[in-house]
Amino acid sequence: MVFKHQHFHETPAEVEAEFPPRAALESAVSDALASAGGVDASDVTVTVKDGEVTLMGTVQVPEEIGRAEEVALGVPGVTAVRNEIHHIAPSFFNGGPRPL
């Protein structure tokens, strides 16, 4: 068997990180939100750009909006949080408690 160095059109192959820092930070913030008390982040998405975290989605309790921002700011590597979470009142039609 002959071993050849990897080249692509005469330039050495470049290996990219499987998980870039942005994805690792998104994952860390998502994990922190999932395990934090006082916030149900099941309908919240996390995106990161240059250390700034954007939180988007909905919660059913208004206090969860501030709590989600607080949790995200506590994650190492987060420089700022842009909070675009909205509050929706629970109802029978969106999964809230059924009326008696």
Side-chain angles (χ1 to χ4, degrees):
M1 179 194 268
V2 176
F3 175 77
K4 292 176 137 183
H5 292 284
Q6 295 179 349
H7 287 287
F8 182 75
H9 296 289
E10 300 304 319
T11 59
E14 293 181 29
V15 178
E16 294 183 17
E18 187 173 342
F19 297 104
R22 178 187 60 82
L25 190 53
E26 285 175 359
S27 179
V29 173
S30 295
D31 290 346
L33 288 171
S35 63
V39 60
D40 176 8
S42 57
D43 291 326
V44 175
T45 59
V46 177
T47 56
V48 174
K49 183 176 181 182
D50 299 326
E52 181 182 8
V53 172
T54 300
L55 304 174
M56 294 185 297
T58 58
V59 293
Q60 294 188 2
V61 180
E63 292 79 17
E64 292 178 330
I65 296 171
R67 177 69 179 137
E69 184 172 341
E70 179 182 301
V71 170
L73 279 170
V75 175
V78 173
T79 58
V81 174
R82 196 167 134 208
N83 195 339
E84 296 182 8
I85 299 174
H86 300 284
H87 165 255
I88 57 167
S91 73
F92 174 72
F93 297 106
N94 67 10
R98 294 182 175 201
L100 297 176

